[in-house]
Amino acid sequence: MKFESTAALAVMLGVATARPDAVLQALNRHLSRREVPQEHSHDNILNVVATSLKLDNPDNIKDPVFSLLGNKAAIEGAGNVKDLDCLQQRIADQAFTNAKAANDVDGMANALIFRALERNTGSVGLASILCKSETAKNPEVAALQQHQDPASDGAAELNKQIALTLATQLSAIGADPALAIQSGTFAPGKKGDTTGAGNTCDDIDPKGCINTKGLLQPDVTESEIQAAVAAGSGAAAGNATNNAGASRASASAVASASATATKSASGAKQSGAASSGNANKNNNNAGSAGSATTASGGNLNKFTGSTGSAPVPITSDTSSKPFGVNGSQFVNLGAAAQRACDVQKNACANAVNGGKDNSIKVSDCDAQQQQCVSANGGKKRRAAGGLDTGSCGSPAIQFSSNLADRKGESAFVPVNTKDFAHGSAQKPAIVTQFICQQLGSKCKASAATVSECNAAAKAADAATGQAAANAFNSALGV
């Protein structure tokens, strides 16, 4: 659709004079048209992000909409941003930072949804380029990437995983994870079409024309989102929404169990009650006092702060995944420490949102989480075998039939879903390619590690099922 009619423009100007600022804002963006016009389909999201961005805009970006255009058009409004493939991420990151400082959960949520929106490309079926030169400052933003053209290769599977990852990040900040559905795009067009015609819309509509015209194609269902959030956050996912009473109760249970474990662990340590012989029996008993002290390594969490919630014990044993946190097992200590810090943060935030501790704010919980990570070795971690994974933990994958987002189907999924927030996929390449990309962009791993990962991904592609997972993990030594 091209906007070339002066009569139509006059009509829209007339309407805009009687409509809110959001309409005027969207109208101003329409004065420059693009070859593949759908960048305004989610104006309901763009308008909120634009408001957040204005609070502090150090890069002098003109408007969020420019990041959804091709690079030739995007440069007109990119301000100081040089890598245009990273413009969308940069905007989302700054808008999220601003909204977080203002304690604006709605603004934070819209920034995350915006990061996951599809970016225009030159023709139907052409995927957009991912940001590789920088990593977002906010881990919630760094975990995301943009939707791809629904007609591009593998888009259905990939876009579903993007939506599920978005849902887990929304849940983590206290927003409704079901909002991830709003990041969806249109039905696939005819591959190779350069006109942009077909299933898209680009009308001025503060509610988003993709919504009002019924063109949004959901990538996931609410039940799939609930399963993904439960799998990605464990019992501490109770901070999902303000009205999720049952979930908040679950998070409180985690905090209470953690506090009990810590106190019991302290007493047992003083009396010399630790016994490595009971390690394997107790290691999977989430929140029990035994899991904190009877594992062969004792409680490995070096953090002792307890703002809003007690620190979460990290256990160890001699199994292939030796580090345990509330029943979840990890290949390396860095990933386990990250999970322990995150569980404590969620329990703290739940105490704030539930009104149990009015002396602290969610920002205090965030600060404590960073202190916890720092106390346990900072951002630099190494996976098993000495592989340099930068700021991330183990890149291992698993092949399982017992996955929350699958109904009896065997699929591949990252073992470390905190650092590599990706849902399951039936083809190993979808998961391994995501991990390798994240190692280079988000984790800032060495070039050698990324090269090893790509080689491991090829090895996995040559096999199937558990053999593929084994091939990938063995090649990386994890």
Side-chain angles (χ1 to χ4, degrees), residues 152-341:
S152 62
D153 294 339
E157 186 90 25
L158 175 60
N159 288 344
K160 178 176 181 177
Q161 302 313 323
I162 291 171
L164 290 175
T165 300
L166 172 59
T168 62
Q169 299 306 321
L170 288 168
S171 174
I173 65 169
D176 183 357
L179 292 173
I181 295 174
Q182 294 186 21
S183 70
T185 186
F186 301 93
K190 184 177 180 181
K191 203 167 185 177
D193 180 10
T194 59
T195 67
N199 302 318
T200 66
C201 71
D202 203 31
D203 305 336
I204 296 177
D205 188 337
K207 294 183 179 180
C209 63
I210 194 171
N211 301 310
T212 55
K213 290 192 172 185
L215 298 175
L216 178 69
Q217 300 296 305
D219 303 297
V220 292
T221 64
E222 289 198 27
S223 60
E224 289 174 323
I225 285 175
Q226 292 170 1
V229 169
S233 303
N239 195 32
T241 59
N242 288 332
N243 62 357
S247 294
R248 287 203 301 271
S250 178
S252 296
V254 172
S256 176
S258 298
T260 300
T262 302
K263 292 179 181 178
S264 299
S266 177
K269 190 172 182 180
Q270 292 175 0
S271 63
S275 172
S276 60
N278 293 326
N280 290 333
K281 291 181 181 179
N282 292 328
N283 197 51
N284 290 324
N285 189 5
S288 70
S291 69
T293 61
T294 61
S296 60
N299 178 14
L300 301 181
N301 190 344
K302 298 179 180 179
F303 185 64
T304 58
S306 57
T307 299
S309 61
V312 179
I314 303 174
T315 65
S316 67
D317 57 26
T318 57
S319 65
S320 59
K321 296 178 183 177
F323 304 104
V325 177
N326 280 345
S328 297
Q329 298 301 118
F330 299 87
V331 174
N332 68 95
L333 180 58
Q338 184 73 43
R339 175 61 66 84
C341 297

Side-chain angles (χ1 to χ4, degrees), residues 419-430:
D419 290 329
F420 304 100
H422 199 294
S424 64
Q426 292 185 308
K427 294 182 179 180
I430 294 175

Side-chain angles (χ1 to χ4, degrees), residues 104-146:
D104 179 6
V105 175
D106 183 57
M108 293 163 63
N110 277 274
L112 295 180
I113 298 170
F114 169 78
R115 177 63 187 99
L117 295 182
E118 180 190 355
R119 186 184 180 198
N120 286 353
T121 54
S123 64
V124 175
L126 180 62
S128 59
I129 299 173
L130 300 181
C131 173
K132 298 179 180 179
S133 67
E134 59 187 63
T135 301
K137 296 177 181 178
N138 295 287
E140 298 89 345
V141 177
L144 301 171
Q145 69 173 75
Q146 67 267 29

